[in-house]
Amino acid sequence: MKHFKSSQIHPGAWWLLGFACAFAAGASRNPIFLIALSVSIVVLILLFREQNPWSQSLRFYLGLSFSIIAIRIVFRIIFNYGVFDLAAGSTLIDLPQLTLNLGILGSVNFFGQVSTASLANASIDGLRMSGIVMSLGLANSLANPRRLLKATPGALYEVASAMAIAINLAPQLISSAKRVNRARQLRGRSKGVRTMRSLVVPILEDTIEKSLSLAASMDTRGFGRRSATSAKFTILTRFLSFVAIASTASGSYLLLSSNNLALSLSLIAAGVLSALAVIRASNFGLIRTQYAKTRWRWNDFCVLVFAASIVGLSSLGIFK
Amino acid sequence: MIELRNLSFGYGPDDSPVFRRVQLTIPKGKFVLVCGPTGSGKSSLLKVINGLVPQFTGGQLTGSILIDGQDVTGTQPHDLAHLIGYVNQQPEGAFVTDTVEEELAYGMEQLGFAPEIMRQRVAWLTERFDLADLLSAPLGFLSGGQQQRVAIGSAIAAGQKILLLDEPTSALDPAAAEATINLLAELIEKDGLTVVLAEHRLDQVIDKADLVIVTHGDGTISSGTSSVIETEPRLGAKVNLHIPRTNLEYGSLLSLKDLSVSYSGKVALSPTSFDLKRGQVIAAVGKNGSGKTSLLWATFEAAEQEGIKCAMVPQVAADLLFLNSVAEEFLESDSYAGVPASSTGKLLEKLVGKVDPATHPRDLSAGQQLALALAVQLVKGVDLILMDEPTRGLDELAKQALAKIINSLADEGKAILITSHDSKFLAQVADHTISLEGTE
C-alpha cells in the first residue's frame, strides 16, 4: 500500500475532507461512530503521509485528543454537582461533597456522587471534540501547505503564505531548541540564571533571524507586488472579511452547542459567500501568475464525493 | 549601471554610521568584489542597492541610489525584483518552495509572467545551470553547490541584469566554491550580467574581479583594481604570519577506537580511531555530511565519560551566550566555575585583547563571540578543546588571531580537535589530519 501518497490528492480536497469529518464529529453523539471516525483518520494519515515536516504531527494530535478526553472527564468529576441529573443511571463513584462558600457570590460545590450516565456524557463530549481535532490533524498532516498556498486565491495568498511559513518554522524551532539546549549544557549555568532565559534568548534570536531572511528573500523576488487600489476598496474588502470570519465562527459554534441546524448552516453559508466575495474583489490589483496550476483530477473528486457523503449522511442524522 | 551618490546610512544617532557620504559607480557587465573585515558593511552595501536596507533593517538612509540613471531611493525590494536578483548568505534558508522547478519559477510568478514564457525560461535555466536531473528534486536534498546553482538560477530567472550575492562560497567546500565563481564569471561574459559579490575568501575571486570595493568599517569605502585591498590592513593581504610553536610532547590524553555515530539506524559517522595527545592539534576534514560535527560530539561524550574536562565551541558559538552584556557573562561564568572574580575577563583579554564589558554579546564580532564562548568554558580548567568550524565568518585577520589562540592553548598542554573546510587555516595550526569519508 506504500504507493499511495498524500501528494496525489489536491491539498484542497484533503482540507475539505477534514472539514467534513469535523462536521460529522460535531454533529454526532454516538460513541461508536466517534471512535470509528478517529481510528479511520489515524489509518488514513498512516497510509498516505509522506516524509514532510508537516506530516510528522500525528503524535501531537493524538496526544491532544487523549488529553481533551481526560480533561473533560476530570472536570466532570470535579464540577459534578448539578451538572447532570443525579437520578439518571447508577452511581459509579461516591466522593465526599465539598462546598465552598464564596460569600456574596453564593457557594460552589465540588465532587459528590458521580453517576455512570454523567461520566458517559462527559466522555462523549470529549470524543466529539477530539474527533474534530483529529479531523483537522488529517488535513494538516496530508495537505502540503506549500501546494495549498499555490492553489489559494490571490486575496488569501498573503495570509496563506504567513501560515505556510509558520508551519515550516515549527520543525526549525525544534531543531534550534535542540541545538541551543545542547550548547547550554556545555557551559553549565549557576543558580542565579533562569533556565528559560538561557534557552529562549538564543532560540528566539535564531528563529527570528531565519524568518526575516526568508521574508527578505521572498520580497527581493517580488512577493507582495501589486498595482495600486483605492483606499475605499480596501475598507470594503476588510469589512467583508470580518463578516466572513464572524459568521463562519458563530455558525460553527451554534452547530456544536445547540440543535439549531438551520440557523447554524445558514450562518456558515453566509460566511462562505462573503469569503467568496472578498476573494473575487481582492483579485483586482494582483499581478501574480501561476507556473503550474494545481488542477482537480478524478481522484480529487472521489475524495470530494466521499467528503460530501459524510456531510450528507450526518445531516440526515445517520451517525447520531 | 549602479550609482550611489552621497550615500549615508546608520542605525541611530548614537551608533557609528555604516556609510558616510559614499560615492560609487558600478559599470554594466562587470564582476565586482566587495570585501572588508567582518562587520564593516559588505552585506549592507549589497542590501542598499536592492532596498533591503533600510526596508528590512531600519535605520536612516540619505543620499540617492540610481539604477540605469533612474533614482530608486526608497523603493521597496519587491518593486526592484525585476531588475535585481539577490542571493542570500544561506540559500537553503531562503528557498520558498519545495522543488527545484518550482523555485526557479517562483520569482516569475510574483512578477506576473505568462505561463508559456515561464516554461520557456525554466527550460533555458535548466540547461544553463545544468539542473535537468534535479528539476523535481526536493531542495533540502541538494548538495551545497547544487543549492547555490538553484539560488543563482532563481535570482536571475526573470531576466534580471544585476545579481547581488552575499558570501556565496562561505558554506561550500573548495571545489564547489570554485565552480560557483566560474559560473558567475560565465554569466558576466555570456549574458552581460553585472555581478556584485561580497566575499571573505578572496583568493579565488580577486583575480577575476574587474572592480574591487573595500568597506573599511568606519563609514568609508575604497574602490579600484585588486591592489585596493592593500588599503585595508585587516584583510591581511600582506600578513603572512609564521606562528611559533614549542611542540612539547606531553603524552596521550585519550585514545579513541572505532568511534562511530548513528541516528535511528542512519550512520552519521563511520568507525574512526585516533589518539588525542596533550599539546597537539588534530583536524578533522571531509565533505559536508561526512560526520565532522558528530565526531566532535562523540569525542566530547567519550572524554566526559573518562573524566576529562572539555570545552566545546559549537558551530554557532553565540548559542552559549545568553546574558545582556559581556560583564554579566563574566560574572555568571566566574560564579559558576567558582573562580575568583574577573578570571573570565582576564582570560578573554589574553585571547582577543580588551573587550568593552558593556557590549551586548550579540554585538561582538564573530571572532570575539567565539573567544568568549571559549573563555567561559576554559575558566573551569579543561584539558581538551573541541571546535566545530571555528573559521566560519571570520576575516583573514580574525583567522590569524584564532590560529594564535589555538597554538598558544596547545603550548599550554591542551589537546585540541577542530573541524574545518579551510585548508589554508589548517595548514597553520594542525599537527595531524583525520579524513572522514562520507557515508552516502
Side-chain angles (χ1 to χ4, degrees):
Chain A
M1 295 290 267
K2 271 286 166 207
H3 58 279
F4 286 130
K5 288 284 179 247
S6 61
S7 54
Q8 288 173 332
I9 306 287
H10 193 287
W14 285 127
W15 270 101
L16 287 173
L17 181 65
F19 284 135
C21 293
F23 177 86
S28 167
R29 292 202 61 85
N30 180 345
I32 297 169
F33 169 74
L34 288 169
I35 291 171
L37 180 74
S38 291
V39 171
S40 344
I41 286 172
V42 172
V43 171
L44 265 181
I45 294 177
L46 290 177
L47 269 183
F48 281 90
R49 75 169 171 186
E50 291 172 39
Q51 284 291 326
N52 295 314
W54 58 87
S55 312
Q56 310 309 315
S57 44
L58 176 63
R59 208 178 293 171
F60 165 77
Y61 285 105
L62 275 176
L64 189 63
S65 299
F66 282 119
S67 36
I68 285 173
I69 298 172
I71 288 170
R72 196 77 197 176
I73 292 173
V74 169
F75 267 56
R76 177 55 56 88
I77 294 172
I78 299 174
F79 304 102
N80 177 48
Y81 185 82
V83 175
F84 201 71
D85 188 6
L86 289 176
S90 56
T91 302
L92 190 68
I93 320 168
D94 194 1
L95 292 167
Q97 189 169 320
L98 209 82
T99 307
L100 197 68
N101 198 342
L102 293 176
I104 42 169
L105 292 171
S107 59
V108 186
N109 296 306
F110 300 102
F111 304 110
Q113 286 185 324
V114 185
S115 68
T116 326
S118 161
L119 269 193
N121 193 293
S123 319
I124 290 174
D125 275 349
L127 277 174
R128 265 170 90 196
M129 258 188 269
S130 53
I132 295 170
V133 166
M134 287 307 297
S135 309
L136 298 183
L138 168 86
N140 204 3
S141 306
L142 297 184
N144 178 339
R146 285 178 169 160
R147 262 186 78 201
L148 184 67
L149 174 63
K150 280 208 183 144
T152 342
L156 300 177
Y157 186 68
E158 270 142 50
V159 181
S161 299
M163 280 166 60
I165 291 171
I167 291 167
N168 257 346
L169 276 181
Q172 196 256 302
L173 200 70
I174 294 167
S175 80
S176 61
K178 273 188 194 152
R179 202 194 70 219
V180 169
N181 194 22
R182 200 146 77 149
R184 204 205 59 195
Q185 283 166 358
L186 287 175
R187 178 177 173 183
R189 154 182 68 91
S190 64
K191 285 188 184 123
V193 181
R194 277 159 294 153
T195 325
M196 280 313 277
R197 177 186 190 134
S198 62
L199 265 181
V200 166
V201 172
I203 295 172
L204 274 189
E205 202 217 32
D206 211 47
T207 308
I208 290 171
E209 215 164 74
K210 290 214 163 103
S211 24
L212 264 180
S213 103
L214 179 58
S217 150
M218 290 168 71
D219 208 307
T220 54
R221 289 163 71 188
F223 176 77
R225 223 161 132 119
R226 50 173 71 223
S227 56
T229 45
S230 77
K232 270 187 192 163
F233 192 76
T234 316
I235 293 172
L236 178 75
T237 51
R238 292 222 173 115
F239 173 72
L240 277 173
S241 328
F242 174 74
V243 171
I245 293 168
S247 55
T248 317
S250 45
S252 322
Y253 177 74
L254 278 179
L255 182 71
L256 293 177
S257 61
S258 79
N259 287 324
N260 198 338
L261 196 66
L263 178 63
S264 60
L265 283 185
S266 48
L267 270 172
I268 292 177
V272 170
L273 278 182
S274 26
L276 287 177
V278 175
I279 290 165
R280 238 1 222 293
S282 309
N283 275 338
F284 297 116
L286 284 180
I287 53 167
R288 194 171 62 96
T289 49
Q290 280 190 357
Y291 174 67
K293 273 214 168 86
T294 315
R295 287 181 202 289
W296 292 79
R297 285 166 309 160
W298 66 269
N299 38 4
D300 303 325
F301 284 107
C302 292
V303 175
L304 282 193
V305 170
F306 184 48
S309 58
I310 293 176
V311 173
L313 289 175
S314 72
S315 302
L316 291 174
I318 306 279
F319 304 135
K320 271 206 168 145
Chain B
M1 191 164 79
I2 308 164
E3 277 178 274
L4 306 182
R5 286 190 192 158
N6 246 332
L7 186 102
S8 298
F9 173 73
Y11 288 102
D14 303 331
D15 300 314
S16 58
V18 181
F19 301 119
R20 198 183 291 149
R21 302 195 146 267
V22 163
Q23 309 280 358
L24 179 69
T25 305
I26 297 174
K28 244 184 196 147
K30 299 285 185 211
F31 200 153
V32 183
L33 169 68
V34 182
C35 54
T38 314
S40 61
K42 294 190 295 288
S43 298
S44 302
L45 190 68
L46 296 188
K47 289 177 183 172
V48 155
I49 298 172
N50 72 351
L52 281 175
V53 165
Q55 304 291 352
F56 266 73
T57 57
Q60 190 72 38
L61 185 130
T62 57
S64 48
I65 303 130
L66 286 84
I67 290 174
D68 294 333
Q70 241 194 346
D71 191 338
V72 297
T73 322
T75 311
Q76 294 275 359
H78 55 244
D79 289 320
L80 290 171
H82 61 295
L83 295 174
I84 306 173
Y86 173 73
V87 177
N88 197 322
Q89 230 176 65
Q90 281 150 335
E92 199 184 350
F95 287 144
V96 191
T97 61
D98 288 329
T99 64
V100 174
E101 188 174 14
E102 291 168 315
E103 191 64 22
L104 290 175
Y106 179 80
M108 292 188 279
E109 290 182 323
Q110 307 309 313
L111 299 174
F113 277 54
E116 310 83 69
I117 296 178
M118 279 196 260
R119 269 188 284 279
Q120 283 166 21
R121 292 205 58 94
V122 168
W124 177 79
L125 289 162
T126 310
E127 202 194 306
R128 191 79 176 73
F129 290 89
D130 194 19
L131 296 168
D133 302 331
L134 302 172
L135 266 192
S136 54
L139 290 162
F141 292 170
L142 304 184
S143 73
Q146 290 169 334
Q147 284 183 343
Q148 201 57 261
R149 282 202 326 259
V150 175
I152 293 171
S154 316
I156 59 161
Q160 290 91 337
K161 284 292 178 200
I162 299 171
L163 176 61
L164 314 173
L165 302 103
D166 199 351
E167 299 194 24
T169 68
S170 65
L172 302 182
D173 52 63
E178 197 186 340
T180 304
I181 299 297
N182 289 337
L183 179 70
L184 293 174
E186 217 180 278
L187 284 174
I188 296 162
E189 200 181 308
K190 286 193 186 157
D191 305 281
L193 258 72
T194 308
V195 172
V196 186
L197 176 81
E199 256 308 343
H200 261 320
R201 281 154 104 173
L202 302 181
D203 31 337
Q204 285 172 319
V205 203
I206 194 91
D207 300 330
K208 292 205 166 70
D210 303 305
L211 176 68
V212 177
I213 300 169
V214 178
T215 52
H216 295 290
D218 57 354
T220 61
I221 64 168
S222 316
S223 63
T225 53
S226 60
S227 62
V228 78
I229 63 166
E230 285 164 23
T231 61
E232 178 51 64
R234 282 176 291 173
L235 286 173
K238 289 185 170 163
V239 188
N240 216 335
L241 215 60
H242 176 70
I243 300 149
R245 196 60 174 278
T246 38
N247 265 329
L248 289 172
E249 202 54 63
Y250 285 87
S252 178
L253 180 69
L254 179 67
S255 275
L256 292 165
K257 239 189 145 229
D258 290 339
L259 193 67
S260 67
V261 180
S262 57
Y263 298 107
S264 47
K266 224 179 138 189
V267 180
L269 172 69
S270 0
T272 309
S273 304
F274 56 97
D275 283 336
L276 290 165
K277 287 186 180 146
R278 290 177 189 275
Q280 221 177 43
V281 181
I282 294 186
V285 297
K287 280 187 177 171
N288 294 338
S290 59
K292 296 195 293 290
T293 302
S294 303
L295 173 83
L296 286 187
W297 285 102
T299 309
F300 179 81
E301 274 159 29
E304 295 262 286
Q305 268 175 19
E306 295 288 314
I308 298 166
K309 280 196 177 170
C310 305
M312 161 107 181
V313 182
Q315 248 174 49
V316 187
D319 281 351
L320 265 74
L321 312 172
F322 47 80
L323 292 165
N324 280 330
S325 70
V326 173
E328 284 178 52
E329 297 279 4
F330 286 165
L331 273 178
E332 154 68 13
S333 157
D334 292 339
S335 78
Y336 177 72
V339 292
S342 78
S343 302
T344 313
K346 278 182 196 149
L347 199 58
L348 184 71
E349 196 177 332
K350 209 178 93 196
L351 296 179
V352 285
K354 250 202 156 15
V355 173
D356 179 7
T359 321
H360 195 287
R362 308 273 151 184
D363 292 335
L364 296 175
S365 73
Q368 289 170 328
Q369 279 185 353
L370 198 144
L372 181 56
L374 192 58
V376 298
Q377 298 181 76
L378 286 181
V379 76
K380 294 181 281 189
V382 302
D383 292 318
L384 173 62
I385 298 167
L386 308 155
M387 295 176 144
D388 198 358
E389 293 277 352
T391 57
R392 193 178 267 190
L394 298 188
D395 54 51
E396 208 47 51
L397 210 74
K399 276 186 207 167
Q400 300 290 351
L402 179 67
K404 264 195 213 164
I405 293 175
I406 290 176
N407 284 323
S408 70
L409 289 170
D411 276 349
E412 285 173 24
K414 303 193 191 309
I416 300 172
L417 176 61
I418 57 178
T419 68
S420 181
H421 274 319
D422 195 327
S423 44
K424 206 169 130 197
F425 175 77
L426 290 180
Q428 286 185 342
V429 297
D431 301 310
H432 275 292
T433 306
I434 318 169
S435 290
L436 301 182
E437 279 155 35
T439 48
E440 280 170 304

